[in-house]
Amino acid sequence: VQLQASGGGLVQAGGSLRLSCAASGFTFDDYAIGWFRQAPGKEREGVSCIGSSDGKPFYAGSVKGRFTISRDNAKNTVYLQMNSLRPEDTAVYFCGAECTVVAGTLIFGSWGQGTQVTVSS
């Protein structure tokens, strides 16, 4: 399983970024794919997940209404459109496979390297 996140950068509060996750090494269509983030000194936070067959999305409360997850199975790619960014969204964002919600928390079976998102105030 290989997952490569990209698209991070520096943006002002209120701005937007779109992250991409390119996947390889497995049957992409069969897996739910999602995103989690890790900020310095904070616990890992599951951000979003999109189902394999139904494409049903899940969002953490902290990003609901601002972030949109989507997938393009023909390109083996998942996207995370992030709008109305806030300084508290600053973190390294990772994409992961086999995401599922357990007791309201997103967990992931595997993940790749992340991409840094920095939101300035």
Side-chain angles (χ1 to χ4, degrees):
V1 174
Q2 292 188 344
L3 298 157
Q4 181 62 56
S6 62
L10 172 64
V11 63
Q12 290 187 333
S16 299
L17 283 174
R18 189 176 81 154
L19 305 183
S20 298
C21 173
S24 61
F26 62 102
T27 305
F28 182 79
D29 300 18
D30 290 346
Y31 288 84
I33 308 290
W35 297 87
F36 64 91
R37 62 189 181 186
Q38 181 82 59
K42 295 185 177 180
E43 292 187 356
R44 177 186 296 183
E45 180 187 16
V47 172
S48 183
C49 176
I50 186 165
S52 56
S53 56
D54 59 9
K56 183 177 179 180
F58 169 88
Y59 298 100
S62 58
V63 306
K64 192 174 293 184
R66 300 188 298 123
F67 291 12
T68 302
I69 191 170
S70 61
R71 65 189 295 159
D72 185 338
N73 289 344
K75 295 182 178 180
N76 283 11
T77 302
V78 168
Y79 304 98
L80 186 69
Q81 177 66 44
M82 306 186 296
N83 299 328
S84 302
L85 283 162
R86 305 167 180 168
E88 53 263 40
D89 294 318
T90 295
V92 178
Y93 284 70
F94 299 83
C95 64
E98 303 174 272
C99 50
T100 187
V101 180
V102 178
T105 300
L106 265 177
I107 61 173
F108 295 81
S110 57
W111 53 90
Q113 291 185 330
T115 184
Q116 176 71 47
V117 172
T118 303
V119 185
S120 62
S121 57

